[in-house]
Amino acid sequence: MTTTEIKHTQPNQAETNQQPRTVEVAVPLPLDTTFHYRVPEPLASRIQPGVRVFVPFGRRKVTAYVLRFSRPPEGQQLKDLLDVLDPEPLWTDAELTFFQWIADYYLHPLGEVLKTALPSGINLQSRSSADGEAVSGGKKIRHERIFSALSADAPAKLRGKGLDILAFLRQSGPVSSAELKTRFGECSPNLRRLVELGLVQTSDREVYRDPFAGLIVAKDSPKSLTLHQQQALTTILAAVDNKQFAPFLLHGITGSGKTEVYLQGIAHTLAAGNNALVLVPEISLTPQLVQRFRARFSDGIAVLHSALSDGERYDEWRRIRRGEVRIVIGARSAIFAPLERIGIIVVDEEHEASFKQSDGLRYNARDLALVRGQQEQATVLLGSATPLITTRFAAQQGKLGYLSLPERVANRPLPATSIINTRMTAESPLSPQLIEALSENLERGEQSLLFLNRRGFASWLVCPSCGADLQCPNCSVSLTYHRQRRKSLCHYCDYQVPAPCICPACGELELKEMGVGTERIEHELLERFPDARIARMDSDTTGGKGGHARILDKVGRGEVDILVGTQMIAKGHDFPGVTLVGVLQAEGSLYLPDFRATERTFQVLSQVIGRAGRGELAGRVLLQAMTPDHYGIAYAADHDFERFYQEELLFRQELNYPPYGFLAAIKLSATSEKSLTTAAEQSAAVLRAIKSRLGLRVEILGPAPAPLYRLRGRFRQQILLKDASRAALRRLLTAYRREQSLPATVRAAIDIDPVDLL
Ligand code: ADP
Ligand code: ZN
């Protein structure tokens, strides 16, 4: 540890004169218990809580995590641990407490929580150690050679390049070989000679791979704030100074300058000597966002996102662990970042479903931000233009402070929005009004965005003779026709068949294209506006590292007239040149069988609408919908969050959905439909028996087939549990975990506060 000293339960001396020391460890296996091992004398000086160790486990040897020193449990024969894998602890005591909380809350084995919390680069090491030989750290750490001058006198025979290098080193202090090469050209023989003469010494230094190396950033300084920004900031700064847990909802409409408030809140926190953790949805973790932070804070920023290589991720993790970082920006897993002295945690776009992990440890980083913030006595800002109903409700109840930015900066108006009813005119996906608005914008040289939350060309292919449609054999969904790729494919498992193809049922030669995707819209636009520069942004066009950024950059430079895209275009960027936003099929996601479908529709529409008119020029929005009066659409068009919130609350209350009840789901899947059904019914029976035995009132719904009944070849059933008390759900599930016994072919997962119910 360089700048930060990790404090742990009294090391070494205290217990040395007692019996052999023992430690309690967690193993990354689906087991709820922890285990004790004896520390053999030669390893005693290297063992501390928070390091990984290599232990015999049954007939295997596994990597385990040391939680604490322990008293040897009575009458138990303990085995010796085999090796200590880390020279320094991976976690502080505070972090171990946080992970223990997570294990308890999500009913997930602690060892697996710890494994999830580690960067994947480090887990690679554990894998190789599990093969037999223990490795003690450092496998993926990259080193560079450093040269520094010693004070010995240079012999007279030294001249030329060697002498130049020596003079340079004497002046500069330690320098890497790479830098010497750029300065002096190939100079390895000279350096070797200097070392032989005892004039220069070498050492190795760890190097970090920097994912944003080469990003050149102009400095910027804090903006003078609007009145509302200033009010919000004043409250935040007082909370930061107070150094106690203080959670807030920062409810700011699109373009109201939330990010500026974060930046100034963070600047204040750093000045007070504390650090900042910033969580954003993966999709908005763009170079543009990182640049805004770099421009303000230059150094000491670590960025964690999914496009990092394992090596890069591990490097960022180590920089943070060593206290070389003041600000961590990352997607959901950054909640596990080993950052100490956290003074402020920001969760931007707090309503985003992507903060919830959907497999393994099903944690929600947005919720955990509050937990970690409480443990660290930090200020927590949950920012959004469209907060979750549950978040807004918590603010109404006073559980969160409420900070509001109701206006855009610089008095920019919200865009005027008109709804076009397409119920009767479903002929072309682009209404005449929208086409006219697009051509006006083209004539004026202004940019337009078109949003359609469906990729591909046609949503499905149907046989005009027998009515069969082309289904994925692994998932219960239709294949989507992608014209450019000449394929029909499944958006869940990527199953593909060449297209066009004949009807698999009756052999008919021409299948009819039904439904519309972004690719088809792009195609229509190209036919209608042959001179326009049109780009498309969806997961088909943004593959590979930086694909997303490339398109955004082009739009930012004004090289695109019309950008068509899925919800990728709705988030995390600010295009001052966009003055027209068109929304196609606004009702698209309204009728999914999920109680949050309306909330999600409202959120995504508000975000898309908010892309218009963020610059000097006013914006307008044309919204095509078959159900223009639905409250999820109408209130989004009116920019009226509060009315939407009130109406949605009534619906939630009626059915005891959050915030009036808490949810947990048991998700079961298997490749055999029959064994799944049996297991699901047996699980529900166990739950009902426990419920009556414990006298609980928990609503047990199901088992029912999941709306996506088959996914990647597995059938799926779920049981939904609902109650006004978390404690009741917990008691039920704890007993269920003990008492259920399922065949090995059935997978069952407990999902606390489930977000994905499809
Ligand atoms: P939000 O995150 O709320 O959508 P942003 O923070 O992205 O809004 O701000 C929108 C735009 O307004 C950005 O270009 C930002 O630089 C600018 N901005 C923010 N606050 C101010 C301010 N006080 N004065 C001038 N410009 C500002
Ligand atoms: Zn599929």
Side-chain angles (χ1 to χ4, degrees):
M1 302 293 114
T2 45
T3 47
T4 44
E5 188 78 353
I6 297 183
K7 296 243 162 25
H8 283 298
T9 37
Q10 285 310 312
N12 302 344
Q13 331 91 339
E15 298 172 52
T16 36
N17 44 8
Q18 296 175 8
Q19 308 91 12
R21 180 184 300 207
T22 66
V23 286
E24 185 177 349
V25 306
V27 290
L29 294 170
L31 298 165
D32 281 333
T33 41
T34 54
F35 300 88
H36 297 262
Y37 286 89
R38 217 165 33 195
V39 184
E41 192 47 46
L43 296 178
S45 63
R46 286 162 53 201
I47 194 96
Q48 21 184 352
V51 296
R52 290 172 306 158
V53 289
F54 201 48
V55 299
F57 193 82
R59 262 177 289 157
R60 289 195 286 163
K61 293 169 182 164
V62 300
T63 299
Y65 310 106
V66 176
L67 304 173
R68 56 187 75 88
F69 291 113
S70 62
R71 301 220 163 274
E74 297 273 321
Q76 210 178 311
Q77 271 296 335
L78 294 191
K79 290 185 183 160
D80 280 359
L81 58 84
L82 303 174
D83 201 358
V84 177
L85 301 183
D86 299 296
E88 299 162 349
L90 301 175
W91 298 295
T92 62
D93 283 350
E95 285 157 6
L96 288 172
T97 308
F98 178 54
F99 298 133
Q100 181 68 59
W101 190 97
I102 294 172
D104 294 342
Y105 183 81
Y106 290 105
L107 299 168
H108 202 80
L110 178 59
E112 294 197 337
V113 172
L114 293 170
K115 187 172 171 184
T116 309
L118 281 175
S120 36
I122 215 172
N123 281 336
L124 283 182
Q125 289 180 41
S126 340
R127 224 170 292 150
S128 53
S129 62
D131 289 342
E133 217 185 311
V135 212
S136 45
K139 200 159 208 174
K140 297 198 60 126
I141 296 176
R142 230 199 256 171
H143 288 93
E144 64 183 351
R145 183 135 283 205
I146 299 296
F147 294 87
S148 42
L150 296 166
S151 55
D153 284 335
K157 59 186 173 182
L158 187 71
R159 57 179 77 89
K161 204 192 249 184
L163 193 59
D164 292 346
I165 294 174
L166 184 64
F168 173 72
L169 285 176
R170 287 193 163 155
Q171 227 182 16
S172 66
V175 169
S176 71
S177 57
E179 189 179 338
L180 288 172
K181 282 206 176 110
T182 17
R183 214 168 257 277
F184 295 98
E186 176 50 47
C187 56
S188 315
N190 311 80
L191 288 167
R192 249 198 318 275
R193 183 96 184 98
L194 289 170
V195 173
E196 278 165 16
L197 290 170
L199 297 168
V200 164
Q201 70 174 7
T202 67
S203 56
D204 279 352
R205 179 168 75 187
E206 289 183 21
V207 285
Y208 302 121
R209 287 147 278 214
D210 180 355
F212 286 93
L215 196 73
I216 295 157
V217 184
K219 276 248 111 358
D220 95 334
S221 40
K223 297 190 164 55
S224 67
L225 298 180
T226 65
L227 180 65
H228 291 290
Q229 282 176 320
Q230 188 56 58
Q231 284 172 342
L233 186 69
T234 305
T235 310
I236 292 165
L237 298 192
V240 167
D241 288 337
N242 201 20
K243 297 201 160 72
Q244 279 178 11
F245 176 50
F248 295 98
L249 163 58
L250 178 60
H251 186 179
I253 63 168
T254 54
S256 60
K258 292 184 287 295
T259 311
E260 185 62 32
V261 174
Y262 304 149
L263 290 171
Q264 297 198 23
I266 290 169
H268 189 82
T269 309
L270 300 189
N274 284 329
N275 299 326
L277 178 58
V278 182
L279 303 180
V280 300
E282 180 70 45
I283 198 169
S284 43
L285 194 52
T286 56
Q288 213 182 36
L289 175 100
V290 174
Q291 211 152 331
R292 274 174 92 172
F293 277 81
R294 283 248 168 136
R296 196 62 64 85
F297 300 109
S298 55
D299 287 336
I301 301 177
V303 181
L304 300 168
H305 61 87
S306 67
L308 295 184
S309 68
D310 282 350
E312 286 169 340
R313 183 179 303 277
Y314 184 30
D315 285 352
E316 291 294 77
W317 194 91
R318 284 181 298 130
R319 282 178 67 215
I320 303 167
R321 174 77 295 161
R322 295 178 171 190
E324 294 166 19
V325 164
R326 305 294 310 277
I327 302 175
V328 174
I329 310 174
R332 81 180 157 239
S333 66
I335 190 62
F336 303 126
L339 187 68
E340 293 176 65
R341 286 179 290 112
I342 298 176
I344 191 167
I345 305 180
V346 172
V347 183
D348 190 30
E349 311 284 2
E350 67 94 30
H351 62 277
E352 277 288 323
S354 67
F355 285 119
K356 172 87 172 174
Q357 166 107 358
S358 57
D359 54 12
L361 171 61
R362 292 159 197 250
Y363 66 96
N364 191 326
R366 176 254 175 233
D367 299 347
L368 289 181
L370 294 170
V371 176
R372 198 160 180 198
Q374 184 155 31
Q375 292 183 349
E376 299 270 347
Q377 298 293 310
T379 299
V380 180
L381 301 181
L382 307 175
S384 177
T386 52
L388 290 169
I389 295 295
T390 44
T391 305
R392 180 68 188 85
F393 189 73
Q396 185 183 322
Q397 290 194 311
K399 291 181 184 161
L400 300 172
Y402 185 67
L403 305 170
S404 166
L405 304 178
E407 286 163 16
R408 283 188 160 179
V409 294
N411 297 320
R412 281 172 202 144
L414 280 164
T417 304
S418 2
I419 306 191
I420 300 161
N421 187 340
T422 50
R423 202 176 311 155
M424 299 306 172
T425 57
E427 261 310 290
S428 157
L430 300 169
S431 65
Q433 295 97 311
L434 184 54
I435 288 168
E436 197 186 320
L438 285 168
S439 39
E440 282 168 16
N441 243 36
L442 283 170
E443 269 164 35
R444 283 200 295 262
E446 293 171 21
Q447 292 177 303
S448 309
L449 293 186
L450 276 190
F451 167 77
L452 170 62
N453 211 1
R454 179 95 206 180
R455 67 189 174 103
F457 191 84
S459 309
W460 69 95
L461 293 171
V462 66
C463 172
S465 307
C466 74
D469 71 339
L470 216 53
Q471 288 266 337
C472 173
N474 311 313
C475 310
S476 28
V477 293
S478 303
L479 299 183
T480 301
Y481 171 47
H482 289 245
R483 180 162 165 154
Q484 257 170 26
R485 291 160 70 174
R486 299 177 163 280
K487 277 181 180 140
S488 283
L489 52 98
C490 172
H491 286 178
Y492 289 93
C493 73
D494 216 33
Y495 171 86
Q496 326 193 329
V497 292
C501 73
I502 58 168
C503 173
C506 73
E508 162 73 42
L509 290 180
E510 276 202 38
L511 298 183
K512 201 162 158 12
E513 296 161 10
M514 306 290 286
V516 176
T518 43
E519 195 186 331
R520 162 108 183 262
I521 300 298
E522 182 189 25
H523 186 78
E524 296 224 346
L525 289 170
L526 284 166
E527 292 201 328
R528 220 170 257 281
F529 305 112
D531 299 329
R533 295 165 303 172
I534 294 164
R536 171 159 60 94
M537 187 156 94
D538 54 33
S539 41
D540 296 313
T541 62
T542 53
K545 205 169 177 172
H548 188 223
R550 242 188 329 272
I551 300 176
L552 291 177
D553 285 346
K554 271 177 82 172
V555 180
R557 286 194 304 266
E559 294 165 15
V560 171
D561 298 314
I562 306 176
L563 178 67
V564 186
T566 55
Q567 55 174 328
M568 276 188 188
I569 67 171
K571 330 212 147 143
H573 45 82
D574 191 22
F575 295 130
V578 172
T579 55
L580 172 67
V581 167
V583 178
L584 310 177
Q585 294 180 6
E587 70 284 347
S589 52
L590 214 44
Y591 300 106
L592 291 175
D594 180 330
F595 77 93
R596 292 190 185 90
T598 309
E599 181 179 26
R600 300 247 170 83
T601 302
F602 177 85
Q603 288 164 353
V604 72
L605 291 180
S606 302
Q607 298 287 343
V608 181
I609 290 171
R611 295 301 115 193
R614 290 166 73 98
E616 302 287 315
L617 298 169
R620 63 172 167 154
V621 177
L622 295 182
L623 204 149
Q624 298 185 179
M626 302 241 267
T627 52
D629 302 327
H630 191 287
Y631 72 101
I633 295 177
Y635 289 139
D638 278 352
H639 319 291
D640 196 339
F641 177 87
E642 285 305 313
R643 304 257 305 271
F644 168 72
Y645 165 66
Q646 294 301 342
E647 186 146 350
E648 181 69 10
L649 264 190
L650 293 178
F651 154 71
R652 300 286 179 96
Q653 187 159 29
E654 209 169 298
L655 294 167
N656 288 326
Y657 279 123
Y660 297 98
F662 298 106
L663 299 178
I666 296 175
K667 298 180 167 173
L668 301 119
S669 73
T671 51
S672 146
E673 193 169 10
K674 190 154 172 289
S675 47
L676 175 65
T677 311
T678 314
E681 274 160 12
Q682 184 245 337
S683 277
V686 170
L687 286 165
R688 295 200 163 94
I690 299 169
K691 173 182 160 176
S692 78
R693 192 174 76 226
L694 300 180
L696 300 171
R697 275 181 316 196
V698 177
E699 258 183 272
I700 301 175
L701 304 162
L708 250 172
Y709 182 41
R710 219 169 152 223
L711 187 62
R712 297 182 195 96
R714 300 182 73 84
F715 293 94
R716 305 158 76 233
Q717 294 254 1
Q718 49 195 36
I719 302 171
L720 196 63
L721 309 176
K722 213 195 284 174
D723 200 285
S725 144
R726 282 189 192 285
L729 286 176
R730 223 188 130 62
R731 285 179 66 202
L732 178 60
L733 284 167
T734 307
Y736 167 79
R737 284 179 90 214
R738 256 197 324 266
E739 294 171 32
Q740 59 127 6
S741 67
L742 293 172
T745 56
V746 177
R747 276 186 218 152
I750 290 176
D751 192 346
I752 306 289
D753 307 322
V755 166
D756 180 5
L757 294 172
L758 294 183

